[in-house]
């Protein structure tokens, strides 16, 4: 069926998947975690929020909407909010963080800007998310950083896709997910650098920016750049 939202129209096909949702027990809780992330620029955030509006209208389920300032793509999680190590994440960072940060800076400064094209809204038991294929540059970057970082038995295990989480869930329910063919998709932008952050409230609702590293040859933020910069987050 086709429904009009302002000047845009979106086609929702018959639901083709039913998922059993999983409660997000960390939602909005204080935490200490360390990530290498991309925070999209305001123009991209506006497009993603418009997509969230439509999904909320069409999905009658226990949705927890990721706030605009929290929308992000995680490249590598260095220490996650649920880690169970012999030391706290902050203690591990005080021991390892300087070396890890130097590795990240070297890796990013050797990476050229690349394009991301989010063409699909997908779902799992844990989340509804915007999905893109993983560009070769992103795959190599994740591999290089993950291979260089470890503590005890912990090693980063980055995803094999590029994704931005739109919703998580507040209850366990069977939920029908519509396939979405929308004029709001694809959402495309160029990635020119990344932010190293300490997450203080999940899901990246409150973060401390530890570093912001541009890619090799990156400009000062062109109109089609997807990157939010340090000044926009503080």
């Amino acid at each position: 069926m086709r429904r009009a939202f302002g000047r845009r129209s979106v086609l929702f096909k018959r639901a083709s998947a039913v998922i059993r949702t999983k409660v997000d027990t960390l939602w909005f809780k204080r935490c200490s975690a360390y990530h290498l992330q991309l925070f999209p620029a305001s123009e991209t955030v506006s497009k993603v929020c418009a997509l969230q509006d439509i999904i909320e209208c069409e999905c009658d389920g226990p949705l927890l909407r990721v706030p605009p300032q929290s929308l992000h793509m995680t490249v590598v999680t260095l220490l996650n909010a649920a880690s169970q190590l012999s030391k706290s994440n902050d203690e591990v960072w005080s021991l390892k963080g300087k070396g890890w940060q130097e590795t990240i800076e070297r890796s990013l400064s050797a990476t050229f800007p690349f394009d991301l094209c989010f063409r699909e809204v997908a779902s799992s038991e844990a989340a509804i998310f915007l999905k893109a294929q993983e560009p070769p540059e992103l795959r190599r970057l994740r591999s290089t950083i993950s291979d260089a970082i470890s503590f005890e038995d912990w090693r980063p295990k980055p995803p094999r896709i590029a994704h931005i989480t739109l919703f998580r869930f507040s209850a366990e329910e069977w939920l029908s997910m519509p396939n979405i063919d929308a004029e709001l998709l694809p959402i495309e932008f160029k990635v020119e650098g990344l932010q190293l952050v300490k997450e203080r409230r999940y899901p990246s609702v409150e973060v401390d920016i530890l570093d912001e590293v541009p890619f090799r040859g990156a400009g000062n933020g062109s109109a089609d750049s997807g990157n939010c910069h340090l000044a926009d987050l503080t």
Side-chain angles (χ1 to χ4, degrees):
M1 59 184 172
R2 187 174 293 274
R3 299 191 177 184
F5 293 84
R7 295 184 178 179
R8 297 186 178 96
S9 61
V10 180
L11 178 65
F12 290 91
K13 300 176 182 177
R14 185 179 298 277
S16 61
V18 178
I19 59 172
R20 179 69 174 176
T21 61
K22 181 180 178 181
V23 176
D24 190 333
T25 59
L26 291 175
W27 185 255
F28 266 64
K29 290 185 177 179
R30 298 200 67 82
C31 66
S32 177
Y34 294 83
H35 311 276
L36 184 62
Q37 294 180 331
L38 166 73
F39 288 86
S42 58
E43 181 180 350
T44 301
V45 169
S46 295
K47 294 176 181 178
V48 175
C49 288
L51 191 57
Q52 287 178 302
D53 290 343
I54 293 169
I55 293 171
E56 275 190 318
C57 289
E58 294 299 318
C59 274
D60 184 17
L63 301 182
L64 296 171
R65 179 169 174 161
V66 178
Q69 75 275 14
S70 306
L71 292 166
H72 66 274
M73 182 188 78
T74 296
V75 173
V76 180
T77 290
L78 309 176
L79 294 164
N80 70 35
S83 62
Q84 297 180 339
L85 303 172
S86 62
K87 299 180 182 294
S88 70
N89 284 351
D90 289 338
E91 290 175 319
V92 175
W93 186 258
S94 68
L95 291 171
K96 296 283 192 175
K98 182 178 180 180
W100 290 355
Q101 187 168 345
E102 290 173 353
T103 296
I104 290 169
E105 289 172 348
R106 286 195 302 269
S107 300
L108 267 62
S109 63
T111 300
F112 286 97
F114 57 84
D115 295 320
L116 282 176
C117 182
F118 292 89
R119 296 184 178 277
E120 179 185 354
V121 174
S123 61
S124 69
E125 66 176 8
I128 300 172
F129 53 93
L130 196 56
K131 178 180 175 182
Q133 288 189 339
E134 183 183 47
E137 299 90 345
L138 178 57
R139 188 180 310 119
R140 286 193 296 270
L141 183 62
R142 283 171 161 168
S143 178
T144 299
I145 293 173
S146 297
D147 288 346
I149 289 175
S150 66
F151 183 79
E152 298 176 347
D153 294 330
W154 163 257
R155 278 190 177 274
K157 296 179 180 178
R160 297 301 300 271
I161 59 171
H163 74 283
I164 297 173
T165 298
L166 306 176
F167 297 93
R168 292 193 179 272
F169 304 115
S170 62
E172 292 186 4
E173 289 185 14
W174 290 105
L175 184 65
S176 295
M177 291 299 304
N179 290 324
I180 300 174
D181 179 12
E183 290 182 8
L184 291 177
L185 296 176
I187 295 175
E188 303 175 84
F189 54 84
K190 183 180 292 294
V191 182
E192 296 188 326
L194 298 170
Q195 291 85 27
L196 177 63
V197 306
K198 176 183 177 179
E199 180 185 28
R200 294 190 291 111
R201 189 180 297 276
Y202 176 91
S204 292
V205 176
E206 295 177 14
V207 298
D208 293 333
I209 305 296
L210 305 178
D211 200 0
E212 182 177 29
V213 185
F215 289 161
R216 183 175 181 181
N220 294 321
S222 60
D224 62 348
S225 170
N227 289 76
C228 175
H229 294 283
L230 180 61
D232 302 316
L233 292 170
T234 56

